[in-house]
Amino acid sequence: MKNFTYTRATSVKEAVQKATADNQAIFIAGGTNLIDRLKVFLDEPSQLIDISRLEMKRIERLSNGGLRIGALVSNTAVADNADVRRDYPILVRAILSGASQQIRNVATVGGNLLQRTRCPYYYDTAFPCNKRQPGQGCPAATGINRMHAILGASDQCVAVNPSDMNVALAALDAVVEVAGPKGQRQIPFIEFHRLPGNTPQRDTNLEPGELITSVILPPVSFAKSGVYLKLRDRTSYAFALVSVAAAVELAGDRIKNVRLAMGGLAHKPWRPTEAEKFLIGKPADSSTFQQAAEIALQQAKPLSHNAYKVELAKRAIRRALTVSSKGGGVV
Amino acid sequence: MEHGKKGRGKTSRRGFLGQALTVAGTAIAAPSLLNQSSNAKDNLETAEGNMKVTLNVNGKQQSLTIEPRVTLLDALRDRLGLVGSKKGCDHGQCGACTVLVDGERVYSCLALAVMQEDKEIVTIEGLAKGDTLHPLQTAFIENDGFQCGYCTPGQICASVALLDEIKRGCASVVTPDLTRPPQLAELSEAEIKERLSGNLCRCSAYNGIVAAVQQAAGQKAPSPLADLMLSEPEETLT
Ligand SMILES: Cc1cc2nc3c(=O)[nH]c(=O)nc-3n(C[C@H](O)[C@H](O)[C@H](O)COP(=O)(O)OP(=O)(O)OC[C@H]3O[C@@H](n4cnc5c(N)ncnc54)[C@H](O)[C@@H]3O)c2cc1C
Ligand code: SF4
Ligand code: FES
Ligand code: FES
């Protein structure tokens, strides 16, 4: 990695000021994604602003029954929190399926939201890449793209968002709280990440200098039945090829409420709202789940090497909905 | 944070030496060559500024003057001479560099040394008490949990942390009921394997490693050989 100066922020305000004053500066929290990127020269900041000692390490109960999770809470601490385990198993399972204990101990909530794609062409600076340098071209679009997107991609970029936590947060309708040069604001989770369009270099709608301070989990009574199914090349310590977060609430044998989100398929966590709408009021059986899966993948545009993801995603949706409608647990 | 103003040249050279060794991947490069390149590099680096850092490693306070980009792994190995922690992938994928920071296992290759001040770092060198091995070190020996040994320090550090995590009630993705995480005595093979999946071993010493963790968890460890024989169909045994 290239050298940089290092400063330790002592308050959110100071961190934002420093980042606003130097557009070559970059925040570091756990560092498990950023240091990796620095080592292969994907990022070459002039300055690292260490935010890891700021006071954003608490999980608080909100008066409406939801939770606020500080941006610096480690992935391990979220997964070990008794309230999160009881109310949002969907999030706990998603986190525990990601990376390894060594990484989860250090990885933070804010950093997990902002980890960048694992597209191998993006990682290898011998290749051109629009995400690194807009206008260079996208070798993945015509190259080996078995890991890449089948939904929402553009001809500029076919990368997927690699985070598991993001998929659970999308299903839970989380809200991201940020502090920036213009003050604080809240961003609904599903609007936080972007599709590549003509600006594949931008993963999110964060503005320059903005810092994630926390994530809010609204109360969802039926989140307890939530499941997370992650399919990958090996059974542990690998990124998802396809993943599904699902939570189903039944009234009798009919579906009263449902949440569905998918990972490994798009540039952002994917919420198939049409499939969700279809499911409401239907009997919770395999024919319903199959139809919902068809709807969720209707817009799929597979690339030369990843047509398998369409069928894999449909089966994953069916399985996740089936297990969740029976009360949840290990998928 | 104060920027070291004295003796920059000297530490920069050592900094570069560490980098050069890493890039070459081995220590075969001729010393004269290294000296030449590092002289050239010295002038560049003085402009960028080193930092003074104090690390608490295995109970000892260690003062270093280093560039902010030095990882904890490079600081341990190249500056403090603690070469037990290994550099495998250098990208958080193999576990060979695993150390304990404030009691939790981390990959030292994905941690900057300057960010570790005021934290307690324990490496493989810090696990034994004098000549008395840590119970997991003993268990690894007794269950043959290594072949070439390169991954072993990281595997042992990870296993030490694993048992601690069980005592603290951490769940894993294979834990059936999140509200009832496993106890030491009932720690299943599936749990051990999932929880050690962040450590890779090219020699596949995995059976011995699982057995070592079982033994240290107070379970009866099947010897790896017994395990293998039990899983073979009977005809092949006769
Ligand atoms: C081998 C390996 C396997 C992995 N497997 C998985 C997996 O299966 N699933 C998965 O989901 N993840 C996986 N990960 C990724 C891991 O989860 C992320 O690296 C981690 O979550 C990043 O968090 P961090 O705190 O270390 O972020 P950092 O590396 O510190 O930061 C990441 C980015 O976020 C920015 N940032 C951090 N915090 C904030 C904040 N509060 N506000 C604004 N910007 C901020 C930084 O500037 C940086 O650009 C894996 C990583 C590795 C190395
Ligand atoms: S898919 Fe996106 S990240 Fe990958 S090479 Fe193409 S532009 Fe770059
Ligand atoms: S050297 Fe750190 S994980 Fe491989
Ligand atoms: S003992 Fe050789 S790599 Fe594990």
Side-chain angles (χ1 to χ4, degrees), chain A residues 285-303:
Chain A
D285 60 25
S286 58
S287 141
T288 302
F289 295 154
Q290 177 63 30
Q291 290 175 67
E294 297 292 341
I295 295 170
L297 273 300
Q298 221 158 32
Q299 310 292 329
K301 288 202 183 68
L303 303 161

Side-chain angles (χ1 to χ4, degrees), chain A residues 201-244:
Chain A
Q201 72 278 15
R202 283 191 71 186
D203 295 347
T204 71
N205 286 315
L206 271 191
E207 298 297 334
E210 279 186 328
L211 179 83
I212 301 174
T213 53
S214 54
V215 168
I216 290 180
L217 300 179
V220 191
S221 58
F222 62 101
K224 289 192 174 81
S225 65
V227 298
Y228 188 73
L229 172 58
K230 178 173 178 180
L231 301 167
R232 39 186 161 176
D233 283 332
R234 55 183 189 208
T235 48
S236 185
Y237 202 21
F239 288 95
L241 296 169
V242 169
S243 70
V244 174

Side-chain angles (χ1 to χ4, degrees), chain B residues 3 31 75 102 143 149 179 198:
Chain B
H3 288 250
D102 286 344
N143 293 280
T179 60

Side-chain angles (χ1 to χ4, degrees), chain A residues 9-328:
Chain A
T10 54
S11 70
V12 168
K13 201 170 155 213
E14 186 199 344
V16 169
Q17 274 169 357
K18 285 199 150 89
T20 311
D22 177 0
N23 65 5
Q24 303 289 309
I26 188 160
F27 296 127
I28 184 165
T32 58
N33 186 228
L34 183 61
I35 294 172
D36 203 19
R37 274 154 38 194
L38 295 174
K39 283 185 181 183
V40 290
F41 304 103
L42 289 176
D43 295 79
E44 298 178 342
S46 58
Q47 181 188 177
L48 280 200
I49 303 168
D50 180 358
I51 57 168
S52 68
R53 293 176 191 236
L54 298 182
E55 300 281 321
M56 308 192 287
K57 295 182 182 160
R58 283 216 318 262
I59 300 181
E60 311 161 80
R61 180 61 79 183
L62 298 173
S63 54
N64 69 359
L67 290 179
R68 172 184 278 120
I69 305 180
L72 287 171
V73 181
S74 73
N75 287 3
T76 294
V78 178
D80 282 346
N81 180 276
D83 289 335
V84 182
R85 273 192 193 167
R86 193 179 54 243
D87 297 346
Y88 305 98
I90 197 169
L91 177 60
V92 176
R93 298 258 175 218
I95 289 174
L96 292 178
S97 76
S100 64
Q101 184 78 33
Q102 284 96 323
I103 290 175
R104 295 192 298 265
N105 284 344
V106 179
T108 63
V109 167
N112 198 307
L113 259 55
L114 293 178
Q115 63 174 299
R116 303 206 77 188
T117 185
R118 294 274 160 175
C119 169
Y121 298 100
Y122 163 75
Y123 257 85
D124 187 343
T125 50
F127 287 94
C129 166
N130 286 332
K131 189 176 278 300
R132 264 188 272 118
Q133 184 72 54
Q136 278 191 339
C138 171
T142 51
I144 306 295
N145 45 36
R146 65 180 288 274
M147 312 278 294
H148 293 73
I150 57 172
L151 288 164
S154 74
D155 57 356
Q156 307 262 311
C157 179
V158 295
V160 298
N161 183 296
S163 163
D164 293 297
M165 180 190 265
N166 282 345
V167 183
L169 292 177
L172 293 168
D173 278 333
V175 173
V176 185
E177 294 192 305
V178 308
K182 293 184 207 143
Q184 301 182 337
R185 64 182 182 121
Q186 295 195 331
I187 310 172
F189 201 79
I190 208 66
E191 290 164 25
F192 184 78
H193 294 92
R194 295 162 60 100
L195 290 179
N198 291 324
T199 50
Q201 72 278 15
R202 283 191 71 186
D203 295 347
T204 71
N205 286 315
L206 271 191
E207 298 297 334
E210 279 186 328
L211 179 83
I212 301 174
T213 53
S214 54
V215 168
I216 290 180
L217 300 179
V220 191
S221 58
F222 62 101
K224 289 192 174 81
S225 65
V227 298
Y228 188 73
L229 172 58
K230 178 173 178 180
L231 301 167
R232 39 186 161 176
D233 283 332
R234 55 183 189 208
T235 48
S236 185
Y237 202 21
F239 288 95
L241 296 169
V242 169
S243 70
V244 174
V248 178
E249 182 182 29
L250 298 180
D253 63 351
R254 304 246 151 197
I255 298 166
K256 185 175 160 205
N257 251 314
V258 67
R259 295 288 176 81
L260 199 55
M262 306 183 299
L265 302 181
H267 205 250
K268 61 186 279 182
W270 194 261
R271 189 82 185 267
T273 42
E274 290 302 315
E276 285 179 331
K277 273 190 214 132
F278 165 84
L279 284 164
I280 306 288
K282 300 280 189 319
D285 60 25
S286 58
S287 141
T288 302
F289 295 154
Q290 177 63 30
Q291 290 175 67
E294 297 292 341
I295 295 170
L297 273 300
Q298 221 158 32
Q299 310 292 329
K301 288 202 183 68
L303 303 161
S304 44
H305 292 93
N306 68 4
Y308 75 95
K309 278 194 178 182
V310 180
E311 183 58 26
L312 196 62
K314 287 182 192 169
R315 292 181 188 215
I317 289 172
R318 249 163 49 198
R319 178 153 182 82
L321 289 172
T322 306
V323 176
S324 178
S325 65
K326 293 184 173 143

Side-chain angles (χ1 to χ4, degrees), chain A residues 1 3-4 6 8 29 32 35-36 39 48 50 53 80 85 93 96 100-103 105-106 236-237, chain B residues 48 68-69 90-92 98 105 107 109-110 114-115 117-118 169-171 173 175-176 178 194 197 199:
Chain A
M1 54 185 119
N3 208 0
F4 41 74
Y6 167 89
R8 210 174 267 172
T32 58
I35 294 172
D36 203 19
K39 283 185 181 183
L48 280 200
D50 180 358
R53 293 176 191 236
D80 282 346
R85 273 192 193 167
R93 298 258 175 218
L96 292 178
S100 64
Q101 184 78 33
Q102 284 96 323
I103 290 175
N105 284 344
V106 179
S236 185
Y237 202 21
Chain B
E48 309 202 41
R69 63 177 159 174
D90 209 21
H91 288 280
T98 301
R105 47 174 153 161
Y107 295 145
C109 71
L110 289 187
V114 288
M115 289 174 72
E117 278 191 316
D118 316 322
C170 297
V173 74
T175 304
L178 291 176
E194 163 60 28
S197 67
N199 292 76

Side-chain angles (χ1 to χ4, degrees), chain B:
Chain B
M1 190 58 43
E2 139 197 5
H3 288 250
K5 290 234 179 329
K6 283 174 213 145
R8 276 183 192 153
K10 199 170 166 216
T11 40
S12 294
R13 176 152 67 234
R14 281 204 271 141
F16 180 69
L17 218 132
Q19 292 269 326
L21 290 179
T22 309
V23 171
T26 63
I28 337 172
S32 57
L33 189 72
L34 281 175
N35 288 339
Q36 276 169 25
S37 342
S38 57
N39 284 340
K41 193 83 176 156
D42 272 347
N43 303 330
L44 283 178
E45 283 176 354
T46 41
E48 309 202 41
N50 291 333
M51 297 181 73
K52 272 218 171 81
V53 186
T54 304
L55 297 180
N56 176 345
V57 185
N58 299 330
K60 252 169 73 185
Q61 298 288 335
Q62 306 262 19
S63 284
L64 295 172
T65 306
I66 50 171
E67 291 177 15
R69 63 177 159 174
V70 173
T71 62
L72 176 58
L73 177 62
D74 287 342
L76 292 171
R77 289 181 55 87
D78 299 344
R79 314 302 157 93
L80 300 177
L82 295 168
V83 293
S85 310
K86 298 292 184 280
K87 184 179 284 193
C89 63
D90 209 21
H91 288 280
Q93 298 177 356
C94 74
C97 66
T98 301
V99 301
L100 307 174
V101 175
D102 286 344
E104 295 199 337
R105 47 174 153 161
V106 312
Y107 295 145
S108 57
C109 71
L110 289 187
L112 295 179
V114 288
M115 289 174 72
Q116 312 305 316
E117 278 191 316
D118 316 322
K119 299 184 183 176
E120 273 179 35
I121 298 155
V122 174
T123 69
I124 187 75
E125 289 91 345
L127 287 181
K129 296 235 155 51
D131 284 342
T132 312
L133 294 181
H134 187 282
L136 265 160
Q137 291 176 307
T138 309
F140 265 66
I141 295 170
E142 289 177 358
N143 293 280
D144 198 10
F146 39 72
Q147 291 178 24
C148 82
Y150 197 83
C151 71
T152 309
Q155 298 270 13
I156 292 178
C157 287
S159 303
V160 169
L162 185 162
L163 295 185
D164 237 48
E165 287 152 16
I166 299 294
K167 289 180 200 154
R168 287 204 310 266
C170 297
S172 88
V173 74
V174 302
T175 304
D177 181 351
L178 291 176
T179 60
R180 279 194 61 259
Q183 307 287 306
L184 277 185
E186 60 183 34
L187 189 62
S188 69
E189 213 175 298
E191 286 277 6
I192 297 172
K193 288 179 175 172
E194 163 60 28
R195 289 165 191 264
L196 283 183
S197 67
N199 292 76
L200 307 186
C201 169
R202 293 179 70 97
C203 310
S204 303
Y206 298 120
N207 289 336
I209 293 169
V210 171
V213 173
Q214 287 174 315
Q215 176 175 320
Q219 302 178 4
K220 191 173 170 299
S223 82
L225 186 63
D227 202 32
L228 194 72
M229 284 163 65
L230 286 172
S231 61
E232 296 280 323
E234 258 180 39
E235 308 86 82
T236 58
L237 288 180
T238 51

